[in-house]
Amino acid sequence: MVDPHNGIVVNGIDTHASEPQPTQSLPKWSAATQAIHADDHLNRIEDVAPPVHVATTFRYHNDPDQLIPSTDPSASLSDRHIYSRHTAPTTTRLEALLTPLLLAPTLTYSSGLSALHAAYVFLRPRRIAITAGYHGAHAVLKLHCRLTGATLLPLSCPAEDLHPGDVIHLETPLNPTGEALSIKHYADKAHSRGAYLLVDSTFAPPGLQEPFRWGADVVMHSGTKYLGGHSDMLCGVLATRKEDWYKGLAEERAVLGSVMGGLEGWLGVRSVRTLEVRVKRQSESAGKLVAWLDTLLHKQTPGDRESEVVAAVVASVQHASLQREDMAWLAEQMPNGFGPVFAISMRSERLARRLPSKLELFHHATSLGGVESLIEWRTMSDTTVDTRLLRVSVGVESWEDLRDDLMQGFAALREEGKGVGEGAKENGT
């Protein structure tokens, strides 16, 4: 295995690797074209749509002279698979597609949290600086701290609190609000102390944000969300430009066993083909919905029915596009849109609990990133958030239809509230 702190191979494990190699050169095609053609070199049959491979084990070469034992240092099995806990045809194809999109060699995992766990098993930091965000990530770090004795620091800690090998864990945009943090700022902070920057870019998939451009050492995605995009697969992703890290993570993944199945890998390949067109539309629609809500909340026009309805039930909206004071760096970090997720805070817990049931186009469910729009009374799955908060994940529907659905939901709540005493409403009953 590779030691991330000094790059020394301390225990070689043959990964029988068929994944795209870190030194692989790629044509200078656009991301949209790469998503369709970056796996062309893996085509072995006439099918235009690649098949699903479900095998767990693969035959060795039938020619004895072509057999290279794993003890042979010259063994290179980049064009052959051995056992699916190491590599398999379908997930190798998915990694071939993701590598040019994430702009670094990429490994897939069985879920976002398994990818995060693998990163911390490999890096073994003594201190991790992190702020509020996805509660699942905090649960992984709690487990890591219990196993290793590592300590958690606030993201705002002085740089002097960090030491070589420590990690700044930066989630941007943040779950559940969709608000953004500066990658460059935290990369500079980490690197000034010999620490590393891990960026969870789940809420800003390829096309919206390029964390390596701003100094990330490793980038993580819950591929279940936008990379999958159809609410039907679990996936995690790690990408790094450090060749020794990539090799070490691949070795340890074979030991951890946290690999995707063949069907999930196939679903990922199908999904990545349309990543750019999906995310572009979702992010644009979210931006329009946020701007519409924000305008109505701050509109001071007596007699304007829409603004009166929204102001009566909605307290605030949160999204990266509203961080106007941060646009000097944010517009450069996210030049193509500010993400498809935002948060609505209602004026009472009662209103937050009831809004999802008033909507027709938003499914009341957790998760995000699918083609269908979702809304979640976030306290259903996250104990750390304000009980008045709703997380909105915008799908690919017409944004005008989504706007109208939200408005009729707000109006229904307002009418319903007229029969409820003001004191009861404020108490969230």
Side-chain angles (χ1 to χ4, degrees):
M1 299 179 189
V2 177
D3 187 332
H5 303 298
N6 57 28
I8 299 173
V9 177
V10 297
N11 182 23
I13 295 177
D14 183 0
T15 63
H16 301 201
S18 301
E19 61 268 1
Q21 298 302 302
T23 56
Q24 180 180 1
S25 61
L26 293 161
K28 299 300 182 182
W29 293 326
S30 69
T33 302
Q34 294 278 17
I36 307 298
H37 293 287
D39 61 331
D40 283 354
H41 66 284
L42 296 173
N43 291 335
R44 298 290 185 267
I45 57 177
E46 291 76 18
D47 303 45
V48 173
V52 182
H53 293 268
V54 296
T56 59
T57 190
F58 305 88
R59 296 183 187 90
Y60 294 114
H61 207 292
N62 201 41
D63 181 355
D65 293 334
Q66 298 296 319
L67 298 176
I68 304 176
S70 60
T71 54
D72 190 327
S74 67
S76 175
L77 305 175
S78 61
D79 61 343
R80 300 189 68 83
H81 300 279
I82 302 292
Y83 190 61
S84 63
R85 183 163 43 79
H86 297 278
T87 66
T90 313
T91 49
T92 293
R93 184 179 288 271
L94 177 57
E95 290 166 355
L97 291 172
L98 291 173
T99 290
L101 299 182
L102 272 67
L103 304 178
T106 300
L107 293 167
T108 56
Y109 294 81
S110 55
S111 70
L113 290 186
S114 68
L116 192 62
H117 173 66
Y120 281 106
V121 168
F122 178 74
L123 293 171
R124 305 189 315 279
R126 302 305 303 166
R127 285 157 289 272
I128 304 155
I130 187 171
T131 190
Y134 178 43
H135 62 92
H138 285 266
V140 168
L141 292 178
K142 181 179 179 181
L143 175 62
H144 178 77
C145 291
R146 179 165 64 84
L147 293 173
T148 68
T151 56
L152 299 182
L153 302 172
L155 190 63
S156 60
C157 70
E160 291 72 22
D161 289 353
L162 298 169
H163 299 266
D166 291 343
V167 170
I168 291 181
H169 180 117
L170 186 69
E171 180 182 317
T172 185
L174 280 162
N175 189 352
T177 65
E179 295 172 310
L181 299 168
S182 170
I183 297 173
K184 184 179 185 303
H185 170 79
Y186 290 101
D188 291 345
K189 179 177 178 177
H191 298 157
S192 72
R193 301 293 295 170
Y196 306 122
L197 178 66
L198 182 153
V199 174
D200 180 347
S201 192
T202 297
F203 276 41
L208 294 184
Q209 184 168 268
E210 298 177 4
F212 289 112
R213 178 183 177 188
W214 306 105
D217 295 295
V218 59
V219 174
M220 174 262 178
H221 283 268
S222 174
T224 306
K225 312 308 191 291
Y226 292 100
L227 302 182
H230 293 78
S231 303
D232 58 7
M233 58 171 275
L234 290 176
C235 170
V237 167
L238 291 178
T240 182
R241 291 178 172 177
K242 298 179 184 293
E243 187 170 347
D244 55 337
W245 285 23
Y246 173 82
K247 291 179 178 178
L249 286 165
E251 292 171 358
E252 292 186 357
R253 183 183 63 173
V255 178
L256 293 171
S258 49
V259 294
M260 296 181 72
L263 175 60
E264 288 75 18
W266 183 87
L267 290 170
V269 170
R270 169 217 60 185
S271 300
V272 169
R273 307 291 196 201
T274 61
L275 177 65
E276 181 174 294
V277 292
R278 285 187 288 106
V279 170
K280 180 179 180 181
R281 182 179 179 91
Q282 290 169 295
S283 186
E284 287 178 351
S285 294
K288 291 175 180 178
L289 289 170
V290 168
W292 166 70
L293 280 171
D294 186 61
T295 298
L296 291 179
L297 276 175
H298 295 93
K299 195 173 185 180
Q300 302 296 325
T301 306
D304 184 277
R305 178 184 174 277
E306 286 194 345
S307 62
E308 289 178 356
V309 167
V310 171
V313 296
V314 176
S316 64
V317 181
Q318 293 170 277
H319 187 239
S321 65
L322 300 178
Q323 295 175 231
R324 298 178 181 92
E325 70 283 1
D326 295 325
M327 281 299 158
W329 60 264
L330 185 51
E332 292 187 359
Q333 183 173 300
M334 303 184 73
N336 300 318
F338 299 103
V341 174
F342 63 93
I344 300 173
S345 291
M346 305 298 284
R347 291 198 173 275
S348 70
E349 178 183 318
R350 171 185 173 276
L351 292 170
R353 177 195 287 266
R354 298 184 67 81
L355 177 62
S357 67
K358 304 299 182 184
L359 303 176
E360 298 179 12
L361 300 181
F362 293 83
H363 297 282
H364 188 198
T366 195
S367 199
L368 55 115
V371 293
E372 63 287 310
S373 291
L374 304 177
I375 190 167
E376 182 186 22
W377 184 34
R378 188 59 180 158
T379 195
M380 290 292 293
S381 62
D382 186 349
T383 62
T384 67
V385 300
D386 191 305
T387 57
R388 297 169 296 175
L389 186 140
L390 293 153
R391 186 181 69 186
V392 181
S393 170
V394 178
V396 299
E397 304 95 336
S398 159
W399 88 269
E400 293 94 341
D401 291 339
L402 297 175
R403 174 199 63 195
D404 294 346
D405 193 30
L406 285 170
M407 178 52 71
Q408 68 80 23
F410 295 146
L413 286 178
R414 189 189 189 202
E415 287 301 312
E416 189 177 81
K418 289 179 179 179
V420 180
E422 291 299 319
K425 285 192 290 182
E426 290 302 317
N427 291 328
T429 59

